[in-house]
Amino acid sequence: MRRIILVMILLATLFPLPAKAETPAEKGLKIAIEADKRDSGWGDSKQEFTMILRNRHGEESKREIRGRSLEVPGDGDKSLTIFDTPKDVKGTAFLNFTHKKGDDDQWLYLPALKRVKRISSRNKSGSFMGSEFSYEDISSQEVEKYSYKWIKDESYDGKDCFVTESYPVDKKNSGYTRMVNWIDKAQFRTLKVEYYDRKESHLKTLTFRAYKKYLDRYWRPDEMNMINHQNGKSTQLLFNNYQFRTGLKDSDFNKSSLKRAR
């Protein structure tokens, strides 16, 4: 018996069992967690951006917007978006509280009606202010809101990328069945997202360009383009004047702040 045990130990030493292979789901989650980890700790930020709406004939309309964000440790982010032009939307403000679990809280202030409207989670697939971005798209993408799967590695825009799929946990209210994401391996920045609707048809594609690094760590794009393949419309966001750690507080992000945002 002792001899058999010694032989088994010898065989285990010479031919160890292979380590358990990482599944595509485990690898996809690992990539999402690493991307989130690298973008944690920025505190608060401000930025300005131009929203350009284009119809299927190429006709444009522009909106000038300010954005403010506050990182909330242990939960999602808070953000306030304020429209400055054109005149018919001036003073419109959108307040968004993203949560790691459960529904996000969203409110829209319409100055023409002088009232705050709560956005139901059932409407999060609806268009945000007539753009090709939905309320769901402009919420911060918390890791816990999706399940993941690594698909393949592929070069995109000259960069070596992970290609993953993410699936909304809230299948009932999301406008998507899945998103396909191109994430660069060097910095874990999202470069492209393809959105597939509830009928599994390719609905939209979002691309990110001209990333710049802030505070020697945090990457932000100067340009985002959302193309709707089904209606021929697109929305371009051009960002400028990013500022971080400006002293924004929790009290700057409540329903009262919607009405006084100018």
Side-chain angles (χ1 to χ4, degrees):
M1 184 66 181
R2 185 179 176 187
R3 187 173 180 178
I4 293 174
I5 293 174
L6 287 172
V7 170
M8 292 176 66
I9 292 173
L10 179 61
L11 288 172
T13 303
L14 293 174
F15 306 103
L17 292 173
K20 183 184 176 185
E22 190 175 46
T23 68
E26 290 170 340
K27 185 169 181 176
L29 176 60
K30 190 176 175 181
I31 293 166
I33 291 173
E34 179 63 22
D36 182 67
K37 178 183 173 185
R38 292 189 182 210
D39 196 50
S40 298
W42 45 268
D44 68 79
S45 70
K46 294 180 179 178
Q47 70 283 145
E48 298 167 2
F49 57 101
T50 301
M51 174 185 282
I52 304 174
L53 310 178
R54 294 188 178 89
N55 65 20
R56 63 170 61 242
H57 306 295
E59 297 167 332
E60 295 182 357
S61 60
K62 294 183 181 180
R63 295 168 176 181
E64 299 297 330
I65 303 169
R66 287 170 289 145
R68 302 169 182 171
S69 301
L70 181 70
E71 194 175 26
V72 181
D75 200 1
D77 303 331
K78 295 184 176 182
S79 63
L80 179 62
T81 306
I82 307 153
F83 287 74
D84 290 329
T85 65
K87 189 176 179 179
D88 62 335
V89 297
K90 181 178 174 58
T92 299
F94 175 68
L95 181 65
N96 183 42
F97 293 179
T98 305
H99 303 296
K100 289 181 179 296
K101 295 182 180 178
D103 295 334
D104 296 340
D105 295 307
Q106 299 178 322
W107 299 269
L108 185 68
Y109 175 65
L110 301 168
L113 302 177
K114 295 183 179 179
R115 75 180 182 94
V116 175
K117 174 185 176 184
R118 186 181 181 92
I119 307 299
S120 167
S121 60
R122 295 192 300 272
N123 296 326
K124 66 182 182 180
S125 61
S127 167
F128 174 63
M129 294 296 290
S131 75
E132 298 313 306
F133 288 86
S134 66
Y135 290 100
E136 183 175 9
D137 299 334
I138 60 174
S139 296
S140 56
Q141 307 295 299
E142 304 300 328
V143 172
E144 293 81 356
K145 291 289 181 70
Y146 303 90
S147 58
Y148 302 88
K149 184 166 71 175
W150 169 83
I151 303 299
K152 59 184 176 181
D153 294 338
E154 183 176 86
S155 177
Y156 172 75
D157 199 23
K159 298 178 179 62
D160 198 14
C161 291
F162 299 112
V163 182
T164 68
E165 285 189 345
S166 48
Y167 313 94
V169 171
D170 182 8
K171 294 181 174 61
K172 181 179 178 183
N173 294 313
S174 175
Y176 311 118
T177 51
R178 63 188 171 104
M179 285 89 85
V180 183
N181 315 284
W182 279 256
I183 301 166
D184 82 272
K185 292 184 176 180
Q187 306 296 341
F188 285 78
R189 300 168 300 189
T190 300
L191 303 182
K192 184 171 82 165
V193 183
E194 290 180 350
Y195 298 84
Y196 290 81
D197 66 15
R198 297 174 71 87
K199 295 180 180 178
E200 270 291 339
S201 297
H202 187 187
L203 175 59
K204 300 187 292 189
T205 298
L206 175 63
T207 53
F208 301 74
R209 295 186 60 193
Y211 270 101
K212 292 178 182 174
K213 187 191 271 188
Y214 296 87
L215 302 181
D216 202 32
R217 175 176 175 181
Y218 305 107
W219 293 92
R220 295 291 182 273
D222 275 358
E223 182 177 339
M224 296 168 63
N225 289 286
M226 180 73 92
I227 297 174
N228 189 317
H229 303 288
Q230 297 183 7
N231 64 18
K233 297 179 181 178
S234 66
T235 299
Q236 184 180 33
L237 303 180
L238 301 174
F239 295 88
N240 66 85
N241 198 23
Y242 280 108
Q243 300 175 62
F244 290 84
R245 297 173 184 168
T246 64
L248 290 173
K249 305 180 294 295
D250 196 64
S251 58
D252 295 312
F253 298 84
N254 55 43
K255 285 195 282 185
S256 296
S257 66
L258 278 170
K259 295 181 181 178
R260 65 173 183 264
R262 292 287 188 275

